């Protein structure tokens, strides 16, 4: 799916001003409201826009510890373990990976003891061979998409 210059401008506005109305986005971009809505619908349908809800802080929800837990799985049990991981509320993301381990999870916890409890729960899941935990000390680059949107928009502009 190709993102053109207008799409990139729309995405930039969505990131910079997420609570603005479609009508206001259209006014700011100088396009018809229907055009903007059609673009938004296509971007959602194509999977470029994957959500519109707020981003929440696990730390503000009482879970300031962030860890990456690598999970090694018995061959043939990846889907089962993945389904079991989805039942653990402290796991906020999980990915199949290459390299050391089969899955990488992003885990939040109240404190080090709580993190240990979560890891012990993971170790007890059928199909889990071992885990390896890395605790994040400080976030150096927060989750962001704006630099990527700008790069894609600039590339689209060069291709015109």
């Amino acid at each position: 799916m190709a993102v053109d210059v207008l799409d990139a401008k729309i995405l930039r506005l969505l990131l910079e001003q997420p609570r603005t109305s479609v009508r206001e986005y259209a006014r700011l971009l100088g396009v018809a409201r229907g055009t903007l809505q059609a673009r938004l619908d296509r971007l959602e349908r194509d999977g470029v826009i994957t959500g519109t809800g707020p981003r929440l802080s696990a730390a503000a929800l009482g879970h300031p510890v962030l860890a990456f837990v690598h999970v090694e799985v018995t061959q043939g049990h990846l889907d089962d373990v993945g389904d079991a991981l989805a039942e653990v509320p402290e796991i906020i993301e999980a990915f199949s990976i290459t390299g050391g381990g089969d899955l990488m999870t992003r885990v939040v916890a109240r404190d080090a003891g709580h993190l240990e409890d979560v890891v012990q729960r993971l170790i007890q899941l059928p199909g889990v061979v071992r885990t390896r935990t890395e605790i994040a000390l400080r976030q150096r680059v927060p989750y962001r998409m704006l630099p990527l949107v700008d790069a894609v928009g600039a590339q689209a502009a060069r291709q015109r």
Side-chain angles (χ1 to χ4, degrees):
M1 197 243 78
V3 171
D4 66 16
V5 174
L6 179 56
D7 292 336
K9 288 179 181 178
I10 291 168
L11 294 170
R12 175 176 256 289
L13 274 178
L14 287 172
L15 292 169
E16 291 179 330
Q17 301 175 35
R19 294 179 178 226
T20 303
S21 69
V22 172
R23 174 177 283 155
E24 181 63 10
Y25 289 143
R27 186 190 71 72
L28 290 169
L29 293 171
V31 298
R33 187 196 153 299
T35 299
L36 184 79
Q37 187 62 61
R39 293 286 185 124
L40 288 172
D41 292 344
R42 181 180 50 78
L43 290 167
E44 285 182 24
R45 189 176 53 252
D46 291 348
V48 176
I49 298 173
T50 60
T52 58
R55 289 190 51 88
L56 305 178
S57 165
L61 290 170
H63 290 68
V65 176
L66 171 64
F68 299 93
V69 179
H70 299 260
V71 182
E72 188 177 321
V73 177
T74 303
Q75 215 166 10
H77 289 85
L78 192 61
D79 290 338
D80 295 335
V81 172
D83 291 344
L85 294 177
E87 299 300 318
V88 180
E90 294 87 357
I91 295 178
I92 58 174
E93 283 186 298
F95 301 90
S96 298
I97 61 169
T98 63
D102 300 297
L103 296 163
M104 183 179 72
T105 65
R106 200 163 76 139
V107 178
V108 294
R110 293 184 302 274
D111 54 37
H114 182 218
L115 176 60
E116 181 183 13
D117 293 343
V118 173
V119 171
Q120 288 301 317
R121 182 175 174 187
L122 300 183
I123 290 169
Q124 293 172 9
L125 293 174
V128 172
V129 175
R130 74 178 48 88
T131 64
R132 180 174 51 90
T133 303
E134 299 164 346
I135 296 175
L137 300 175
R138 179 179 296 149
Q139 185 179 52
R140 298 295 179 167
V141 178
Y143 179 84
R144 65 200 183 134
M145 291 300 294
L146 195 52
L148 180 61
V149 167
D150 287 345
V152 169
Q155 178 67 30
R158 286 191 295 274
Q159 292 176 348
R160 286 168 107 187

